Amino acid sequence: MADEKTMAVPDHVAIIMDGNGRWAKKRGLPRTFGHKQGCKVVEQTVEDAARLGIRYLTVYAFSTENWKRSADEVGALMQLFRYYMVRLLDVATKNNVRVRMIGDRRRFPEDIRAGIEKLETETREATGLTFVIAVNYGGRDDIRRAAIRYAEDVREGRREAADSFTEADFGKYLDTAGMPDPDLLIRTSGELRLSNFLLWQCAYSEIVITDVLWPDFNKQVLLSAIEEFNHRNRRYGGV
Ligand code: FPP
């Protein structure tokens, strides 16, 4: 069994939370029950990550592609966001967690946008875990919006268009500006895809895939993934 006392904890863990629908289906329940259980697991995972000393935890809650789901399912997810944003404020406050959202929030209803802002503002001073929720997030869209902001800066004379513009400079235009890249990317439910998550930022992340469905995810599964990460030899393209 993974022993948290002897493991090096990665700075930044990112998670593609997959399998809510299958979890519900296996129980003969509507897909939204899987999402509901998935939200409870998010809450618990934030507490676990904070206690383990992880500095950044990023979860993929809603992708730019998820709008293609049925209106019922999208509506149910919006309701869950409304409810859990309030709960998360409580969890964050109790655990010294700073919350940050990435993704294009402009597409969300006004009350959800206001809830996001409240969560970010009221937890801004926390010094423990930074919990990052990706909503209406797509890796390509992140890069596209960053390129637009960069072009605007050049057009308006705030920055010169120059060959000296580095990858690190570009990173400052991404939603994740100021955050380290994920060291470990976990995907649940056994699928072997990135699904447009943090494409730029995961260039050198170690990927751990577990067959566990997201609603069954727990601290032990997190620790096993961290243990596997501990056995990887990170070379960043070197030898
Ligand atoms: C993937 O399962 C899950 C999602 C697309 C949504 C994940 C969202 C949550 C767990 C809620 C997060 C909430 C907060 C407050 C951060 P799936 O529906 O694709 O499952 P399937 O692949 O089995 O169909």
mmCIF file of all heavy atoms in Angstrom, residues 197-217:
data_model
loop_
_atom_site.group_PDB
_atom_site.id
_atom_site.type_symbol
_atom_site.label_atom_id
_atom_site.label_comp_id
_atom_site.label_asym_id
_atom_site.label_seq_id
_atom_site.Cartn_x
_atom_site.Cartn_y
_atom_site.Cartn_z
ATOM 1 N N PHE A 197 -7.084 18.955 -22.540
ATOM 2 C CA PHE A 197 -6.835 19.509 -21.206
ATOM 3 C C PHE A 197 -5.396 20.008 -21.127
ATOM 4 O O PHE A 197 -4.467 19.256 -21.439
ATOM 5 C CB PHE A 197 -7.086 18.412 -20.166
ATOM 6 C CG PHE A 197 -7.065 18.894 -18.727
ATOM 7 C CD1 PHE A 197 -7.682 20.065 -18.343
ATOM 8 C CD2 PHE A 197 -6.446 18.128 -17.746
ATOM 9 C CE1 PHE A 197 -7.685 20.486 -17.014
ATOM 10 C CE2 PHE A 197 -6.449 18.533 -16.407
ATOM 11 C CZ PHE A 197 -7.065 19.721 -16.045
ATOM 12 N N LEU A 198 -5.160 21.236 -20.741
ATOM 13 C CA LEU A 198 -3.829 21.781 -20.445
ATOM 14 C C LEU A 198 -2.761 21.327 -21.454
ATOM 15 O O LEU A 198 -1.712 20.813 -21.077
ATOM 16 C CB LEU A 198 -3.412 21.362 -19.021
ATOM 17 C CG LEU A 198 -4.318 21.861 -17.888
ATOM 18 C CD1 LEU A 198 -3.890 21.240 -16.549
ATOM 19 C CD2 LEU A 198 -4.304 23.378 -17.752
ATOM 20 N N LEU A 199 -3.056 21.515 -22.737
ATOM 21 C CA LEU A 199 -2.169 20.979 -23.784
ATOM 22 C C LEU A 199 -0.761 21.560 -23.707
ATOM 23 O O LEU A 199 0.219 20.841 -23.830
ATOM 24 C CB LEU A 199 -2.769 21.280 -25.160
ATOM 25 C CG LEU A 199 -4.101 20.611 -25.466
ATOM 26 C CD1 LEU A 199 -4.547 20.979 -26.870
ATOM 27 C CD2 LEU A 199 -3.991 19.094 -25.328
ATOM 28 N N TRP A 200 -0.681 22.857 -23.505
ATOM 29 C CA TRP A 200 0.634 23.519 -23.412
ATOM 30 C C TRP A 200 1.341 23.098 -22.117
ATOM 31 O O TRP A 200 2.514 22.742 -22.101
ATOM 32 C CB TRP A 200 0.407 25.040 -23.447
ATOM 33 C CG TRP A 200 1.623 25.874 -23.230
ATOM 34 C CD1 TRP A 200 2.231 26.135 -22.025
ATOM 35 C CD2 TRP A 200 2.396 26.561 -24.215
ATOM 36 N NE1 TRP A 200 3.317 26.949 -22.201
ATOM 37 C CE2 TRP A 200 3.444 27.229 -23.535
ATOM 38 C CE3 TRP A 200 2.298 26.704 -25.608
ATOM 39 C CZ2 TRP A 200 4.384 28.010 -24.206
ATOM 40 C CZ3 TRP A 200 3.240 27.478 -26.259
ATOM 41 C CH2 TRP A 200 4.266 28.117 -25.576
ATOM 42 N N GLN A 201 0.556 23.111 -21.033
ATOM 43 C CA GLN A 201 1.136 22.956 -19.695
ATOM 44 C C GLN A 201 1.574 21.519 -19.408
ATOM 45 O O GLN A 201 2.409 21.285 -18.530
ATOM 46 C CB GLN A 201 0.102 23.394 -18.652
ATOM 47 C CG GLN A 201 -0.312 24.862 -18.747
ATOM 48 C CD GLN A 201 -1.447 25.138 -19.737
ATOM 49 O OE1 GLN A 201 -1.738 24.323 -20.621
ATOM 50 N NE2 GLN A 201 -2.092 26.269 -19.598
ATOM 51 N N CYS A 202 0.993 20.535 -20.088
ATOM 52 C CA CYS A 202 1.319 19.131 -19.786
ATOM 53 C C CYS A 202 2.449 18.582 -20.652
ATOM 54 O O CYS A 202 2.630 17.360 -20.730
ATOM 55 C CB CYS A 202 0.083 18.249 -19.929
ATOM 56 S SG CYS A 202 -1.029 18.412 -18.515
ATOM 57 N N ALA A 203 3.215 19.472 -21.281
ATOM 58 C CA ALA A 203 4.275 19.018 -22.193
ATOM 59 C C ALA A 203 5.168 17.958 -21.559
ATOM 60 O O ALA A 203 5.563 16.996 -22.212
ATOM 61 C CB ALA A 203 5.105 20.218 -22.651
ATOM 62 N N TYR A 204 5.487 18.118 -20.270
ATOM 63 C CA TYR A 204 6.383 17.158 -19.606
ATOM 64 C C TYR A 204 5.760 16.517 -18.370
ATOM 65 O O TYR A 204 6.478 16.001 -17.508
ATOM 66 C CB TYR A 204 7.721 17.829 -19.262
ATOM 67 C CG TYR A 204 8.553 18.023 -20.503
ATOM 68 C CD1 TYR A 204 8.647 19.254 -21.113
ATOM 69 C CD2 TYR A 204 9.180 16.931 -21.094
ATOM 70 C CE1 TYR A 204 9.370 19.419 -22.287
ATOM 71 C CE2 TYR A 204 9.899 17.080 -22.264
ATOM 72 C CZ TYR A 204 9.995 18.322 -22.853
ATOM 73 O OH TYR A 204 10.707 18.460 -24.014
ATOM 74 N N SER A 205 4.446 16.530 -18.294
ATOM 75 C CA SER A 205 3.791 15.918 -17.123
ATOM 76 C C SER A 205 3.873 14.400 -17.217
ATOM 77 O O SER A 205 3.790 13.832 -18.308
ATOM 78 C CB SER A 205 2.322 16.329 -17.073
ATOM 79 O OG SER A 205 2.214 17.730 -17.120
ATOM 80 N N GLU A 206 4.012 13.771 -16.080
ATOM 81 C CA GLU A 206 3.914 12.308 -16.024
ATOM 82 C C GLU A 206 2.427 11.957 -15.980
ATOM 83 O O GLU A 206 1.661 12.572 -15.222
ATOM 84 C CB GLU A 206 4.605 11.778 -14.768
ATOM 85 C CG GLU A 206 6.099 11.996 -14.759
ATOM 86 C CD GLU A 206 6.808 11.230 -15.874
ATOM 87 O OE1 GLU A 206 6.328 10.134 -16.258
ATOM 88 O OE2 GLU A 206 7.841 11.728 -16.357
ATOM 89 N N ILE A 207 2.033 10.983 -16.793
ATOM 90 C CA ILE A 207 0.604 10.653 -16.877
ATOM 91 C C ILE A 207 0.348 9.315 -16.186
ATOM 92 O O ILE A 207 1.048 8.332 -16.443
ATOM 93 C CB ILE A 207 0.154 10.604 -18.355
ATOM 94 C CG1 ILE A 207 0.461 11.954 -19.022
ATOM 95 C CG2 ILE A 207 -1.328 10.266 -18.461
ATOM 96 C CD1 ILE A 207 0.119 12.030 -20.502
ATOM 97 N N VAL A 208 -0.626 9.303 -15.303
ATOM 98 C CA VAL A 208 -1.049 8.052 -14.661
ATOM 99 C C VAL A 208 -2.528 7.850 -14.958
ATOM 100 O O VAL A 208 -3.352 8.724 -14.689
ATOM 101 C CB VAL A 208 -0.810 8.093 -13.129
ATOM 102 C CG1 VAL A 208 -1.447 6.887 -12.459
ATOM 103 C CG2 VAL A 208 0.686 8.147 -12.808
ATOM 104 N N ILE A 209 -2.828 6.707 -15.558
ATOM 105 C CA ILE A 209 -4.221 6.383 -15.882
ATOM 106 C C ILE A 209 -4.687 5.317 -14.896
ATOM 107 O O ILE A 209 -3.997 4.313 -14.694
ATOM 108 C CB ILE A 209 -4.331 5.784 -17.314
ATOM 109 C CG1 ILE A 209 -3.605 6.658 -18.350
ATOM 110 C CG2 ILE A 209 -5.787 5.515 -17.704
ATOM 111 C CD1 ILE A 209 -4.289 7.904 -18.794
ATOM 112 N N THR A 210 -5.829 5.543 -14.291
ATOM 113 C CA THR A 210 -6.380 4.512 -13.417
ATOM 114 C C THR A 210 -7.749 4.085 -13.951
ATOM 115 O O THR A 210 -8.471 4.898 -14.537
ATOM 116 C CB THR A 210 -6.520 5.018 -11.957
ATOM 117 O OG1 THR A 210 -7.321 4.097 -11.225
ATOM 118 C CG2 THR A 210 -7.154 6.390 -11.863
ATOM 119 N N ASP A 211 -8.067 2.806 -13.757
ATOM 120 C CA ASP A 211 -9.372 2.317 -14.221
ATOM 121 C C ASP A 211 -10.512 2.755 -13.305
ATOM 122 O O ASP A 211 -11.685 2.640 -13.657
ATOM 123 C CB ASP A 211 -9.365 0.778 -14.303
ATOM 124 C CG ASP A 211 -8.577 0.297 -15.516
ATOM 125 O OD1 ASP A 211 -8.470 1.074 -16.492
ATOM 126 O OD2 ASP A 211 -8.049 -0.835 -15.472
ATOM 127 N N VAL A 212 -10.167 3.246 -12.130
ATOM 128 C CA VAL A 212 -11.201 3.675 -11.171
ATOM 129 C C VAL A 212 -12.052 4.785 -11.793
ATOM 130 O O VAL A 212 -11.520 5.701 -12.421
ATOM 131 C CB VAL A 212 -10.506 4.198 -9.884
ATOM 132 C CG1 VAL A 212 -11.482 4.900 -8.967
ATOM 133 C CG2 VAL A 212 -9.791 3.062 -9.173
ATOM 134 N N LEU A 213 -13.365 4.686 -11.660
ATOM 135 C CA LEU A 213 -14.255 5.730 -12.171
ATOM 136 C C LEU A 213 -14.215 6.904 -11.182
ATOM 137 O O LEU A 213 -14.067 6.684 -9.968
ATOM 138 C CB LEU A 213 -15.684 5.184 -12.315
ATOM 139 C CG LEU A 213 -15.820 3.918 -13.185
ATOM 140 C CD1 LEU A 213 -17.276 3.413 -13.175
ATOM 141 C CD2 LEU A 213 -15.363 4.183 -14.623
ATOM 142 N N TRP A 214 -14.376 8.139 -11.692
ATOM 143 C CA TRP A 214 -14.186 9.294 -10.809
ATOM 144 C C TRP A 214 -15.001 9.214 -9.508
ATOM 145 O O TRP A 214 -14.467 9.467 -8.423
ATOM 146 C CB TRP A 214 -14.429 10.623 -11.540
ATOM 147 C CG TRP A 214 -14.293 11.765 -10.576
ATOM 148 C CD1 TRP A 214 -15.290 12.552 -10.088
ATOM 149 C CD2 TRP A 214 -13.079 12.189 -9.918
ATOM 150 N NE1 TRP A 214 -14.781 13.452 -9.176
ATOM 151 C CE2 TRP A 214 -13.432 13.249 -9.051
ATOM 152 C CE3 TRP A 214 -11.745 11.763 -9.973
ATOM 153 C CZ2 TRP A 214 -12.486 13.896 -8.248
ATOM 154 C CZ3 TRP A 214 -10.802 12.402 -9.161
ATOM 155 C CH2 TRP A 214 -11.179 13.448 -8.316
ATOM 156 N N PRO A 215 -16.262 8.808 -9.544
ATOM 157 C CA PRO A 215 -17.016 8.788 -8.275
ATOM 158 C C PRO A 215 -16.462 7.788 -7.256
ATOM 159 O O PRO A 215 -16.820 7.850 -6.067
ATOM 160 C CB PRO A 215 -18.439 8.406 -8.710
ATOM 161 C CG PRO A 215 -18.513 8.823 -10.145
ATOM 162 C CD PRO A 215 -17.142 8.547 -10.700
ATOM 163 N N ASP A 216 -15.597 6.871 -7.692
ATOM 164 C CA ASP A 216 -14.970 5.921 -6.757
ATOM 165 C C ASP A 216 -13.555 6.350 -6.366
ATOM 166 O O ASP A 216 -12.871 5.639 -5.628
ATOM 167 C CB ASP A 216 -14.885 4.517 -7.388
ATOM 168 C CG ASP A 216 -16.258 3.873 -7.527
ATOM 169 O OD1 ASP A 216 -17.117 4.127 -6.659
ATOM 170 O OD2 ASP A 216 -16.460 3.144 -8.512
ATOM 171 N N PHE A 217 -13.115 7.487 -6.867
ATOM 172 C CA PHE A 217 -11.748 7.956 -6.579
ATOM 173 C C PHE A 217 -11.650 8.289 -5.085
ATOM 174 O O PHE A 217 -12.599 8.756 -4.473
ATOM 175 C CB PHE A 217 -11.470 9.224 -7.400
ATOM 176 C CG PHE A 217 -10.057 9.705 -7.381
ATOM 177 C CD1 PHE A 217 -9.127 9.203 -8.283
ATOM 178 C CD2 PHE A 217 -9.648 10.685 -6.480
ATOM 179 C CE1 PHE A 217 -7.821 9.659 -8.289
ATOM 180 C CE2 PHE A 217 -8.334 11.150 -6.480
ATOM 181 C CZ PHE A 217 -7.422 10.634 -7.387
#
